[in-house]
Amino acid sequence: MNEWCALPIPYTDELLYSVISRYHLRSNNTSPKWTLREVFGTDNVIPTIDLPSHLDALSRRSVSQALSVDEWINRHTFYPYYAPFLPAKRAERVKGLMRSVDGSGIHALVGITASTIDRSDRLLLCPSCYDQDIQSFGEPYWHRIHQLPGVYFCLHHRRILHKLTDPLSNRHGLNVLPISRHMFRSTPVIEVLPDKLINRLSDIAEDIYLLVQQDELLALYDLRQVIHPRLAEKGYVTVASHIRQQKLCEQLVLFYSRELLDLLDSDPTESSYTWLEQSTRTARRVIHPLRQLLLIRFLFGSFREFLDRTDGINAPFGKDPWPCLNKAADHYMKLVVTQCDITRCSDTGRPVGTFMCSCGFSYSRRGPDRTEVDKFYRGRIKSFGSVWSDKLNQCIREGLSYRAAAEMLGVNTNTVIKYANGKLTERDVPLKPKHAKRARTASPSISSRNSLFIRVDWERRDLELSWEVEQECKAIMADFISKPIRITIALIGKRIGRLSWLEKNQHKLPVTMSILSIYIESVSQFQIRRVRWATERFSGEWPIKRWKLEKLAGLRSDYSQEVSGEIERCIGQSRLLPLFTSSEEISSWQH
């Protein structure tokens, strides 16, 4: 067996599968196994159209080595179609499997295995592109854009794509696109449609083409954070920040038509917990890229407009670094801050940036920035940090007045008094007041007020509590070993030791309650989660008995139709799920 092979240089937007097919034709091999052995070093590989594996071996054996492994993956496979809508770590795992000699879990990680959008092994061509390729290059090839899910239309020639019907090889073979029309047969993938639907299909193909042509991989897994301002702008968000799901669904179906959504296997009215609802909630499952692009076009008009608008949405405070506004630090007003968390103001909907410096100083302000001067505006101080505290202690030791210390620290006098009094139990030397007589009369009253009443900073408490609540909820959802427990306010409150706060002060904890609303489950949602957990316990058993699934999930006989549908889906899916799939991957699939 040769240690190398002379793979052809790929054409623009050519599938890697097509490059291997052309090599098979040029090498005059009578068996596809010979070709696979020469290209990959083994014939124990299936020539996959979308997300192939063994790419390290392919690159190493290619005599020209004109492309790196990453270039093969990004330019000639489906990876840039799926990866933007995956969590970053999972996208890297997919790329790692594509490079390795074991690609058995790729489609499960991407979510194709369990998606209701079928994974097709079809090969499509545009008749006009076919003729143009022969005229330009002397041979035709399979274009990647024509094979991507959701593409039925050639952008360049505005023609319905055709699918190859003869000759067709089996899954272990290679479908070579013949060089003459009389050597193959093809038929249009769809029948004649109204012009309006043809235009919609053309628009969708344009969005998909723009997605896979991006130089840098986009991060669109948690799409809700990006589209929420647009949803609010279009009137799909209530005052309490809830999505008007019914209105959104009705308008999206009206925009695309049920006929087109059926064609794309993306009708959001087919089930009670739809892909549309999941796309507009905090990311917990992978949504098929085609459906995400449908939502983006509906809201923004096109994927290009989405990219233009979200550049400003994602960076309302510009790019890092930002200035540290800690007047006690040596780097005051210098651009040294690289960490900024962006949230939304519940009252105005405007972005709020919280800037955190390595010195421990943290401040927030509302955006977006209109001018360069705006970045030097400080709104509310979130934390002072050790540098500021050390400077305060220095002021105490030097006996500065309240006002002088406040000027030096960049805060008001009351803040200095508050934190200075907080240090009195640790320091023997208090701040020296500028007017001793006035200070003597003022200090007792301040001390007595502090001893009688301590004002609660509910905003800060809300932020801290929301973090604890979310971590606890995530820990519960991430436990795939123990039997699921239903997430309720009482459960979370008891676990973090803050039950009274969550029961009696909900109106003072808007952020915390918003986080809880994402995780709190109805009875049906909890039962569905238990069904999925029980299904995972029967991994490897086929077929799964319904009564066993019901028993292990602890279901009563009066469960809802939603739960019954989930049981049917899990039983049916168990026949298709490969044994290599881990429970962590199954739990994050989109159905």
Side-chain angles (χ1 to χ4, degrees):
M1 180 178 65
N2 294 332
E3 295 299 325
W4 55 268
C5 66
L7 276 179
I9 301 299
Y11 297 118
T12 301
D13 194 47
E14 182 178 13
L15 267 182
L16 172 58
Y17 177 93
S18 175
V19 177
I20 299 172
S21 299
R22 289 196 293 118
Y23 172 78
H24 176 65
L25 189 64
R26 292 182 183 186
S27 62
N28 203 28
N29 288 331
T30 57
S31 170
K33 286 194 173 184
W34 295 356
T35 297
L36 297 177
R37 194 178 298 121
E38 292 173 5
V39 173
F40 296 108
T42 176
D43 57 11
N44 188 26
V45 57
I46 296 175
T48 308
I49 293 173
D50 50 5
L51 299 167
S53 60
H54 294 72
L55 298 189
D56 271 342
L58 177 143
S59 179
R60 186 172 55 251
R61 296 176 61 81
S62 178
V63 65
S64 65
Q65 294 187 342
L67 277 72
S68 66
V69 178
D70 283 342
E71 288 174 320
W72 280 115
I73 291 174
N74 294 329
R75 297 181 188 176
H76 303 285
T77 73
F78 285 18
Y79 181 78
Y81 178 77
Y82 289 105
F85 300 96
L86 298 175
K89 290 184 179 179
R90 192 184 304 182
E92 285 301 315
R93 288 179 64 190
V94 170
K95 180 177 285 190
L97 288 174
M98 292 177 70
R99 300 183 63 140
S100 73
V101 295
D102 180 15
S104 55
I106 292 176
H107 295 93
L109 278 175
V110 173
I112 300 174
T113 307
S115 176
T116 54
I117 296 181
D118 292 334
R119 176 193 171 205
S120 175
D121 291 329
R122 64 181 186 174
L123 282 166
L124 306 185
L125 69 142
C126 166
S128 297
C129 287
Y130 175 89
D131 295 333
Q132 185 175 314
D133 291 343
I134 293 178
Q135 183 178 359
S136 301
F137 310 115
E139 61 181 340
Y141 64 91
W142 298 114
H143 290 246
R144 176 177 64 170
I145 184 62
H146 295 161
Q147 321 307 324
L148 293 171
V151 177
Y152 293 85
F153 205 77
C154 177
L155 286 174
H156 303 296
H157 301 103
R158 293 190 61 79
R159 292 191 63 175
I160 296 294
L161 298 178
H162 285 225
K163 62 180 177 181
L164 190 70
T165 57
D166 185 67
L168 292 176
S169 66
N170 60 34
R171 64 195 297 259
H172 297 279
L174 292 165
N175 276 313
V176 178
L177 186 56
I179 198 169
S180 176
R181 283 286 187 92
H182 75 272
M183 299 175 67
F184 70 92
R185 290 194 296 272
S186 65
T187 58
V189 290
I190 53 177
E191 301 298 330
V192 178
L193 292 175
D195 290 341
K196 182 179 179 180
L197 296 188
I198 291 293
N199 291 335
R200 285 277 184 244
L201 287 174
S202 178
D203 293 340
I204 293 167
E206 182 180 347
D207 290 345
I208 293 173
Y209 181 76
L210 182 60
L211 170 68
V212 299
Q213 293 300 314
Q214 295 298 307
D215 293 330
E216 295 184 5
L217 195 66
L218 301 174
L220 300 176
Y221 172 63
D222 196 356
L223 190 64
R224 182 187 186 277
Q225 292 186 1
V226 183
I227 67 173
H228 193 273
R230 185 63 172 169
L231 288 167
E233 183 181 327
K234 285 185 162 288
Y236 296 117
V237 181
T238 67
V239 178
S241 295
H242 298 303
I243 307 297
R244 293 188 171 96
Q245 294 290 352
Q246 184 175 353
K247 179 181 177 182
L248 177 62
C249 180
E250 290 173 353
Q251 292 299 315
L252 184 134
V253 172
L254 187 63
F255 179 79
Y256 285 111
S257 81
R258 199 174 298 275
E259 182 181 4
L260 181 62
L261 293 172
D262 285 339
L263 175 66
L264 301 176
D265 293 321
S266 299
D267 188 346
T269 63
E270 289 184 348
S271 61
S272 57
Y273 188 50
T274 68
W275 65 264
L276 184 57
E277 292 181 21
Q278 296 178 51
S279 296
T280 54
R281 292 176 177 169
T282 300
R284 294 171 65 184
R285 292 185 176 88
V286 174
I287 313 296
H288 196 283
L290 174 58
R291 292 170 171 173
Q292 299 281 46
L293 291 173
L294 288 173
L295 178 58
I296 287 172
R297 172 165 282 275
F298 169 68
L299 292 175
F300 293 88
S302 69
F303 189 65
R304 186 179 300 277
E305 181 68 18
F306 165 77
L307 294 178
D308 293 340
R309 290 185 60 123
T310 51
D311 278 346
I313 293 174
N314 291 333
F317 303 98
K319 295 184 178 180
D320 62 340
W322 298 278
C324 176
L325 302 183
N326 181 5
K327 201 170 182 179
D330 295 336
H331 52 260
Y332 174 59
M333 299 287 281
K334 293 182 180 179
L335 302 178
V336 296
V337 177
T338 57
Q339 185 177 356
C340 174
D341 289 342
I342 300 176
T343 56
R344 291 278 157 189
C345 175
S346 58
D347 295 329
T348 65
R350 291 168 55 187
V352 177
T354 302
F355 303 85
M356 291 152 282
C357 183
S358 58
C359 69
F361 190 81
S362 174
Y363 65 94
S364 66
R365 59 186 172 87
R366 288 178 181 172
D369 289 351
R370 304 298 182 188
T371 65
E372 279 296 310
V373 179
D374 289 346
K375 68 170 55 177
F376 295 96
Y377 169 74
R378 188 189 73 196
R380 177 175 296 178
I381 297 175
K382 296 290 188 177
S383 64
F384 290 100
S386 58
V387 173
W388 190 91
S389 299
D390 291 344
K391 194 71 172 179
L392 173 63
N393 293 336
Q394 182 182 340
C395 293
I396 293 174
R397 290 192 299 270
E398 293 177 357
L400 295 181
S401 66
Y402 293 139
R403 184 170 297 177
E407 178 65 24
M408 184 174 292
L409 297 171
V411 295
N412 60 41
T413 306
N414 289 333
T415 301
V416 172
I417 295 173
K418 173 183 175 182
Y419 283 90
N421 285 336
K423 297 289 184 179
L424 284 177
T425 57
E426 300 175 6
R427 303 289 181 182
D428 296 329
V429 183
L431 277 173
K432 180 181 178 180
K434 192 169 184 180
H435 303 288
K437 185 175 180 180
R438 182 178 300 173
R440 282 195 299 271
T441 58
S443 295
S445 61
I446 294 173
S447 178
S448 61
R449 284 201 306 271
N450 288 340
S451 63
L452 293 174
F453 175 77
I454 299 176
R455 184 179 296 277
V456 176
D457 185 349
W458 282 103
E459 182 176 359
R460 181 175 180 179
R461 176 175 289 184
D462 187 19
L463 292 174
E464 293 174 350
L465 186 61
S466 66
W467 184 87
E468 290 184 58
V469 164
E470 186 164 25
Q471 292 304 307
E472 189 61 38
C473 290
K474 286 182 177 179
I476 293 174
M477 297 298 292
D479 184 5
F480 302 108
I481 305 302
S482 306
K483 190 169 184 178
I485 53 177
R486 184 181 174 188
I487 298 178
T488 62
I489 291 178
L491 173 70
I492 300 301
K494 290 176 182 177
R495 286 204 167 198
I496 65 176
R498 296 287 186 267
L499 180 59
S500 61
W501 289 4
L502 295 178
E503 288 184 338
K504 299 177 182 178
N505 299 289
Q506 293 184 7
H507 63 288
K508 297 179 181 179
L509 303 168
V511 177
T512 302
M513 300 313 297
S514 176
I515 295 293
L516 273 172
S517 67
I518 297 170
Y519 291 94
I520 289 177
E521 301 171 296
S522 66
V523 174
S524 293
Q525 289 173 334
F526 175 51
Q527 289 176 337
I528 287 174
R529 186 156 65 90
R530 283 193 297 180
V531 167
R532 293 173 180 169
W533 171 84
T535 302
E536 293 172 15
R537 305 284 78 75
F538 289 114
S539 178
E541 179 177 332
W542 181 86
I544 298 177
K545 302 294 185 182
R546 187 185 185 98
W547 68 267
K548 286 187 176 181
L549 200 59
E550 292 173 343
K551 182 178 180 180
L552 186 58
L555 300 179
R556 296 180 180 178
S557 59
D558 58 346
Y559 54 77
S560 67
Q561 188 63 36
E562 294 176 69
V563 180
S564 178
E566 183 63 18
I567 293 174
E568 294 292 342
R569 188 195 64 78
C570 290
I571 293 175
Q573 183 175 286
S574 68
R575 303 174 183 178
L576 303 176
L577 287 179
L579 297 177
F580 56 76
T581 304
S582 70
S583 60
E584 183 265 329
E585 292 156 4
I586 296 175
S587 65
S588 59
W589 285 342
Q590 158 62 22
H591 306 302

